[in-house]
Each structure stands twice: as structure tokens, then as C-alpha cells.
């Protein structure tokens, strides 16, 4: 089997610092033999959650948009990567829309008591959160982490199977490329995740 990597670039600015960090991870994962897919959230139709809770009875969202495809891909993927910049101390709107639409999984898991991912894949899926911020504050990522953990938890990725790479002090476009360790850290993370997934029997 080939490791299946699904990645979301959620910045409203294409090819900025967070997406560059993501591209480094994906390139290294591909070198490890993984199949990678990147979805640029700004270029697909992902509408905000309506908060209608109809998914609690239908086991699906009432909205017909690109999430129809995304839901199935999230369940199928061995590794899910969420890349987002930090704006105003939290996730940008594009990332938050994706997270909020995972309400379908919350309803499936906690209201309908149905599996999200097949039980035999427990512990065989990894989530990665990649983020960049212009500020140098050591707490700049703190407000985003609970939303990220919620997204992965409802998608049946355990907290112990989450990985983080967060780089601050990179503000203007292209600043990540001048960071002394970011690229090496991204590549090392990709190799570690690929090795872990092979170890648990994914590939």
C-alpha cells in the first residue's frame, strides 16, 4: 500500500509562507513514496457551516459543495495536513470554515454513535498542523490549537497521533525561505511521519 496524504492549504494568499512550508512537507513525503494531494481551500467551494444541526439526523451535510468530496477524502487519508497562517491570533476564515464543516463528523461520532474512520485504522492515521505567523510572540499559535485539535479529533485522529510545526517571525511573503531551520524541520517531520506510518502497517 502507498501512504495517502491529504493536505489543505488554507491561506487566502496563495504560495505564501504557510503553503511553502506545506510544499516542503509534501515534497519530502513524496520522496518517501507517499501519494500526495493538496487542496487550496481558496480555490474550491467550501461554504461556512450553517449551524442547522441537520447532520445529526442525516449523517451528512445538507449543503452540496466541495465538502462532498472532502469528507470522503478525510476518511480515506492516512495523513491529513492542515496548513494555515495565523491572522489576528487565530486561524484565518478559510481554515475555520473547513474546521466548522467537520461538524458532520462530530454528529456522526457523538450523536449518531457511528464510526468516522473504520475501527481497524485507529492509531494508523496521523494529523499534521503547519502554521506560520509574522509575530515573534511565543504564544501566537495558542488560540489556534484548540480548533486544530477539535478538527482532527472528530476526524478520528488521536491527539497522540498529531504533529506540529509552527514557525513565527515570518511576516512578508517569502520570509519562510530565509528561516534558518524551517525547510529542514519540514523535511524531517515528513520523514518521521512516513516512518511511523510504515511502522504501524500503513505501507
Amino acid at each position: 500500500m502507498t501512504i495517502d496524504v491529504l493536505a489543505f492549504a488554507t491561506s487566502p494568499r496563495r504560495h505564501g509562507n504557510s503553503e511553502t512550508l506545506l510544499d516542503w512537507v509534501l515534497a519530502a513525503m513524496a520522496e518517501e513514496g507517499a501519494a500526495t494531494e493538496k487542496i487550496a481551500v481558496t480555490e474550491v467551494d467550501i461554504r461556512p457551516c450553517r449551524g442547522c444541526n441537520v447532520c445529526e439526523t442525516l449523517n451528512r451535510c445538507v449543503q452540496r459543495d466541495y465538502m462532498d468530496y472532502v469528507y470522503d477524502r478525510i476518511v480515506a487519508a492516512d495523513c491529513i495536513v492542515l496548513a494555515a497562517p495565523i491572522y489576528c491570533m487565530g486561524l484565518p476564515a478559510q481554515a475555520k470554515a473547513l474546521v466548522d464543516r467537520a461538524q458532520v463528523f462530530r454528529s456522526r461520532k457523538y450523536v449518531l454513535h457511528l464510526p468516522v474512520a473504520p475501527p481497524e485504522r485507529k492509531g494508523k492515521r496521523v494529523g499534521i498542523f503547519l502554521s506560520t505567523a509574522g509575530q515573534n510572540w511565543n504564544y501566537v499559535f495558542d488560540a489556534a490549537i484548540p480548533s486544530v485539535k477539535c478538527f482532527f479529533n472528530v476526524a478520528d485522529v488521536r491527539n497522540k497521533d498529531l504533529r506540529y510545526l509552527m514557525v513565527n517571525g515570518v511576516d512578508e511573503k517569502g520570509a519562510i525561505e530565509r528561516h534558518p531551520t524551517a525547510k529542514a524541520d519540514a523535511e524531517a517531520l515528513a520523514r518521521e511521519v512516513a516512518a511511523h506510518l510504515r511502522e504501524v502497517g500503513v505501507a
Side-chain angles (χ1 to χ4, degrees):
M1 290 179 59
T2 301
I3 296 171
D4 180 6
V5 180
L6 174 67
F8 296 97
T10 69
S11 174
R13 180 176 65 179
R14 288 302 314 274
H15 311 297
N17 294 317
S18 64
E19 189 172 350
T20 298
L21 194 62
L22 173 60
D23 288 341
W24 289 335
V25 168
L26 293 181
M29 290 290 284
E31 289 177 0
E32 293 290 323
T36 65
E37 177 183 6
K38 180 173 72 171
I39 296 173
V41 171
T42 55
E43 297 185 357
V44 296
D45 180 23
I46 296 180
R47 302 166 202 163
C49 176
R50 296 178 181 176
C52 64
N53 288 330
V54 175
C55 57
E56 293 185 356
T57 55
L58 291 184
N59 190 23
R60 65 172 178 82
C61 185
V62 295
Q63 300 189 73
R64 302 273 67 80
D65 61 7
Y66 196 73
M67 284 301 295
D68 286 339
Y69 172 75
V70 168
Y71 288 130
D72 290 340
R73 286 294 292 120
I74 287 175
V75 172
D78 302 309
C79 178
I80 305 162
V81 190
L82 177 63
I86 297 298
Y87 295 158
C88 299
M89 303 304 293
L91 295 175
Q94 293 79 5
K96 193 58 167 62
L98 175 66
V99 170
D100 288 350
R101 291 292 296 281
Q103 179 82 347
V104 167
F105 294 142
R106 192 277 314 179
S107 296
R108 186 177 302 172
K109 189 172 184 178
Y110 297 111
V111 178
L112 300 173
H113 304 291
L114 297 170
V116 176
E120 63 270 18
R121 296 182 66 208
K122 184 176 181 179
K124 296 185 177 182
R125 308 176 77 218
V126 171
I128 299 175
F129 177 55
L130 304 174
S131 191
T132 55
Q135 299 90 342
N136 278 310
W137 307 321
N138 59 6
Y139 54 84
V140 69
F141 301 104
D142 290 0
I145 297 301
S147 291
V148 170
K149 286 187 173 182
C150 178
F151 172 73
F152 284 116
N153 178 263
V154 296
D156 268 354
V157 179
R158 305 177 304 179
N159 280 342
K160 65 187 294 184
D161 295 321
L162 299 184
R163 308 288 192 276
Y164 302 89
L165 178 54
M166 299 174 287
V167 182
N168 59 2
V170 286
D171 195 7
E172 72 278 5
K173 186 174 183 178
I176 191 78
E177 296 177 21
R178 298 187 295 276
H179 190 277
T181 66
K183 186 174 183 181
D185 291 343
E187 292 170 343
L189 174 61
R191 288 191 292 269
E192 185 273 322
V193 169
H196 169 77
L197 288 171
R198 286 193 295 264
E199 183 178 334
V200 298
V202 170

